[in-house]
Amino acid sequence: MTEQMRTSTRDLDELRGRTAAWLRAQVGGDAVVSKMSRPSGNGLSSETLFFTAAWGGRETRCVARLAPALEAVPMFPSYDLRAQFEIMRLAREKAGIPAPRALWFEPDPAPLGTPFLVMECVDGEVPPDVAPYTMGGWLHDASPEDRRRLQDASVEIVAALHQTAFARPELAPFGPAGLRAHVEAQRAYYAWAHGDLRVPVLERAFDWLAAHWPDDPGPDVLTWGDARIGNIVFRDFTPVAVLDWEMAAVGPRELDLSWMIFMHRFFQDFAVSMGLPGMPDFMQRDAVCAKYRELTGYEPRDMDFYEMYAALRHGVIMARLWRRRIHFGEQPMPADPDDLVLHRAALEELLAR
């Protein structure tokens, strides 16, 4: 978790030239693209490019999101960038969520080798994944009051999205509604991500879910999917940009709440494993659910179930990520496939509970 992981096989200089040629076709022949780079701390699924675009006497700092090349061992079987573009636009325009301003969606793979979207770049601070924010840095060193302000503001984003009644046709790109469909999609993702390789701790977690299914999963809403502070740009502990909508789906509210809670636990457990105190009083279930209830009037339910599901979902992703690292020679294949799941201990603790 402290080393930069390889996420792309594409040449940056070539991408800059091809992006400039594409941009000139959009805005005119004087367009120039410069200062292209990739992120260093977060963003391990889609390929992300930062660049400065200048045309017509103006200059705009941009971010492009591309589906990764097949040889880069993609994290997901498909990347619906059109849906991501639309959800950012809807979240900004209809829910008042500070999603980045969506500039262009390019469906034609010819310009860069894959469809892509471009949005405005927003300045601020993001709690990093590598090295985790629980191990040090601006959020770790903040006052309890500022941490709580950031926590509450993050929950407010989820509440605002859930409370917005998007029209049903606009939900269509995000797949079938309901908890059952969501879990079945995760089973399919597990099968795709790992093929003939079985990861027993993940299969035990699927069995646990089947045995502890909620009596009433509750109403479906449009969920962010990757609802965590590492996907938010903050300025003075206030969200100014909400990123990474590729896991958006229709399902119970608890999907987002449990993901936000568990993802902090994941990074907190990592800090503790390194002999550091981390941030044990941050993003705790009772406080997150209480704030959500205050904002929406909805009482989150069956959170033990959803915490297990969040741990399972993240386990499938982490095992795929570790296999990518193995592919690029960054680490060997473990003798025990369960060790592909970095938070194996947390999953086993939840199963025992």
Side-chain angles (χ1 to χ4, degrees):
M1 292 295 296
T2 58
E3 298 177 0
Q4 181 62 25
M5 301 178 191
R6 186 172 182 183
T7 61
S8 177
T9 57
R10 297 185 175 110
D11 180 78
L12 207 57
D13 287 337
E14 180 185 353
L15 282 172
R16 185 174 67 84
R18 295 176 70 173
T19 302
W22 170 83
L23 184 62
R24 285 191 287 271
Q26 309 305 308
V27 301
D30 65 338
V32 175
V33 170
S34 60
K35 302 177 183 176
M36 182 169 278
S37 62
R38 294 188 174 99
S40 58
N42 296 32
L44 296 173
S45 53
S46 296
E47 181 167 358
T48 302
L49 303 172
F50 297 111
F51 62 92
T52 299
W55 73 91
R58 61 178 292 189
E59 188 173 273
T60 302
R61 294 176 59 244
C62 301
V63 182
R65 297 274 283 178
L66 298 73
L70 290 177
E71 63 268 20
V73 190
M75 292 298 299
F76 299 109
S78 62
Y79 290 78
D80 191 341
L81 291 162
R82 184 189 296 277
Q84 292 181 48
F85 186 86
E86 286 302 310
I87 186 61
M88 284 196 300
R89 182 182 63 80
L90 291 168
R92 183 183 180 92
E93 295 176 2
K94 295 195 174 184
I97 291 171
R101 191 178 303 278
L103 299 176
W104 294 284
F105 168 67
E106 178 53 71
D108 186 355
L112 298 187
T114 181
F116 62 95
L117 63 85
V118 180
M119 54 191 165
E120 283 188 343
C121 184
V122 180
D123 289 326
E125 297 179 291
V126 179
D129 296 348
V130 184
Y133 64 87
T134 51
M135 296 177 66
W138 64 275
L139 181 56
H140 176 275
D141 299 337
S143 69
E145 294 78 15
D146 282 336
R147 286 188 193 174
R148 185 55 180 261
R149 187 152 59 96
L150 181 146
Q151 174 179 301
D152 287 349
S154 302
V155 177
E156 287 171 11
I157 289 169
V158 171
L161 180 67
H162 294 175
Q163 294 293 91
T164 301
F166 292 140
R168 181 59 49 180
E170 294 167 339
L171 296 182
F174 304 103
L179 179 61
R180 186 75 63 182
H182 201 282
V183 173
E184 288 308 310
Q186 287 300 305
R187 285 187 182 274
Y189 174 49
Y190 167 71
W192 171 86
H194 302 293
D196 293 336
L197 178 68
R198 297 185 57 198
V199 184
V201 71
L202 298 178
E203 297 187 1
R204 287 169 57 203
F206 274 118
D207 291 342
W208 188 98
L209 293 178
H212 296 82
W213 199 262
D215 293 334
D216 179 8
D220 289 332
V221 297
L222 182 59
T223 64
W224 177 5
D226 201 358
R228 61 188 186 91
I229 61 171
N231 285 332
I232 304 174
V233 181
F234 295 93
R235 204 177 297 150
D236 189 27
F237 302 94
T238 300
V240 293
V242 181
L243 313 174
D244 286 5
W245 294 88
E246 63 199 357
M247 292 166 59
V250 181
R253 299 165 183 251
E254 289 83 0
L255 293 173
D256 278 342
L257 292 173
S258 60
W259 188 258
M260 183 171 282
I261 293 164
F262 180 79
M263 288 305 298
H264 173 70
R265 175 182 175 170
F266 172 75
F267 291 119
Q268 171 63 18
D269 287 352
F270 188 82
V272 171
S273 74
M274 301 296 289
L276 299 171
M279 299 163 58
D281 298 326
F282 185 69
M283 281 290 170
Q284 293 301 297
R285 182 199 290 186
D286 289 348
V288 170
C289 289
K291 183 64 179 179
Y292 187 86
R293 181 173 60 249
E294 172 192 325
L295 292 166
T296 66
Y298 178 86
E299 180 69 55
R301 53 184 123 175
D302 299 304
M303 288 301 291
D304 283 350
F305 175 92
Y306 286 101
E307 184 178 359
M308 172 65 82
Y309 187 33
L312 167 59
R313 291 168 62 203
H314 190 52
V316 179
I317 291 171
M318 287 304 299
R320 177 70 177 178
L321 174 62
W322 246 231
R323 294 190 71 184
R324 173 198 269 175
R325 298 200 69 184
I326 293 165
H327 173 80
F328 286 121
E330 296 171 347
Q331 69 178 54
M333 181 71 183
D336 185 346
D338 282 349
D339 287 336
L340 290 168
V341 181
L342 190 59
H343 57 284
R344 171 184 180 171
L347 255 177
E348 290 176 337
E349 177 188 323
L350 292 171
L351 286 166
R353 182 181 67 183

